[in-house]
Amino acid sequence: ISIDGVDSNAGSNEFPLRTFEEARKRMRGGTVKKVLIKPGEYKLLKPIILDHRDNGQHWVGQIVDGSLPVLDGQFKVTDGFLVLGGSHIRIENIHIKDTIFRGVGVHGGSAFSDDATMNISVGPARQNIISNIEVSNILAPKIGDYSYWNSGGVVAEGNTPGIIVSNNYFHDMNSMGLRIAAEGRAGDDISESIISNNLIVRTMGKIEDGGSIYVQDVYGKSTGIKISENAIFVY
C-alpha cells in the first residue's frame, strides 16, 4: 500500500494499492497474507476491521530513516485497527494517532453492550500479535457521567487468549496504555497473554478508573499471563 498507489494496480512493490480495504479484499480472495504499508501519512475515515476471514494476515509498516507509516484517525474513527473475532493476525511497525478510543481494539466472544463498537458476538480472537507500533493521542471522550474506560493504545477484551503485546510505544493519551480483560461473560478467556517490553508515557490523562497497564479477569479463570520488562513514565 502506498499513498501514491492506485486500487486498480497489481498490488506489487512497483505498483502498489492505495487503500487498506482493497488490500484486505485481495487477501481474503487469494493466497497472499502480508501487506507492506509504505511510508507516509494515511488519513482514516473508518477503522481497518479484520475478522475470521482475515485469519493469519500480517500488516507491517515499512520503516524508512527510523520513521513509521502513520495512520491518522483525525479524531473521527474509534480505532485504527479493529479485530473482531480474527485470529493469528499480526500488526507491526505502524504509528496510529488521533483516534477516539483505541489504537488497536481486539474483541472475541459475546457482544459487549457497554461498547457500541464491540457490541457484536463473534468467534474467539486467538493468538494475535501487536508489536513495534506507536500509539498516541487517544481522545477517550466522556460517555454519560464517566470517562470512557474501554480505551487505550491496545485494548483486548472477551475471548482473546494468547495475545502478545510487545515492544510498543504508547504515549500522550487520555486513557490507558493497554488493557486486556475478561469481563466474566461465558467463554471469556485471556489465558497465555504476554505483555512485554512496552514503553508507556503520559497515559491516564482523563479517565479515573484504569491504569497504564490494566489486566483484569473478573472471575480469575485465565492462566499463564506474563507481564514483564515494561517501562512506565508519568511526567
Side-chain angles (χ1 to χ4, degrees):
I1 299 176
S2 169
I3 56 174
D4 299 318
V6 178
D7 276 353
S8 59
N9 277 347
S12 63
N13 189 54
E14 295 79 11
F15 300 100
L17 306 176
R18 174 62 183 87
T19 67
F20 300 95
E21 292 76 19
E22 180 64 22
R24 181 186 59 191
K25 182 178 77 173
R26 301 252 190 128
M27 287 194 293
R28 285 177 177 178
T31 58
V32 174
K33 296 298 179 184
K34 183 176 180 179
V35 175
L36 178 66
I37 304 168
K38 293 192 171 226
E41 186 163 311
Y42 299 80
K43 304 291 186 182
L44 296 182
L45 300 177
K46 54 187 176 182
I48 303 164
I49 298 177
L50 307 175
D51 59 28
H52 67 278
R53 294 169 292 179
D54 306 301
N55 288 353
Q57 290 181 6
H58 185 187
W59 295 73
V60 57
Q62 182 181 30
I63 302 175
V64 175
D65 296 328
S67 296
L68 305 174
V70 177
L71 308 188
D72 182 2
Q74 308 176 82
F75 296 121
K76 295 179 180 179
V77 301
T78 57
D79 305 71
F81 283 89
L82 182 58
V83 180
L84 298 174
S87 296
H88 303 283
I89 294 168
R90 184 165 188 154
I91 299 167
E92 64 177 335
N93 297 350
I94 301 167
H95 180 188
I96 303 169
K97 70 173 187 175
D98 299 350
T99 60
I100 298 174
F101 295 138
R102 293 164 291 265
V104 179
V106 181
H107 167 61
S110 302
F112 190 23
S113 59
D114 287 351
D115 184 344
T117 306
M118 296 182 175
N119 192 20
I120 178 174
S121 292
V122 294
R126 295 190 178 102
Q127 296 179 307
N128 294 297
I129 300 173
I130 299 99
S131 66
N132 298 307
I133 72 167
E134 178 180 352
V135 181
S136 61
N137 297 328
I138 302 292
L139 187 61
K142 285 192 172 183
I143 303 295
D145 295 329
Y146 63 95
S147 293
Y148 199 85
W149 56 269
N150 197 28
S151 177
V154 171
V155 174
E157 61 83 22
N159 190 353
T160 62
I163 189 169
I164 298 175
V165 183
S166 66
N167 301 301
N168 302 296
Y169 177 31
F170 305 126
H171 65 97
D172 297 294
M173 56 187 69
N174 290 333
S175 55
M176 304 183 216
L178 63 94
R179 178 178 187 270
I180 298 178
E183 296 293 336
R185 294 158 295 173
D188 279 8
D189 183 14
I190 57 172
S191 294
E192 308 301 326
S193 298
I194 297 175
I195 300 169
S196 65
N197 298 300
N198 299 289
L199 174 60
I200 304 170
V201 181
R202 292 185 300 272
T203 58
M204 296 294 295
K206 286 188 176 180
I207 70 172
E208 298 172 356
D209 182 2
S212 293
I213 296 176
Y214 191 94
V215 178
Q216 177 188 33
D217 185 335
V218 172
Y219 295 121
K221 295 181 178 180
S222 299
T223 60
I225 297 169
K226 297 179 181 179
I227 304 173
S228 64
E229 304 297 329
N230 301 283
I232 299 171
F233 294 91
V234 180
Y235 60 88

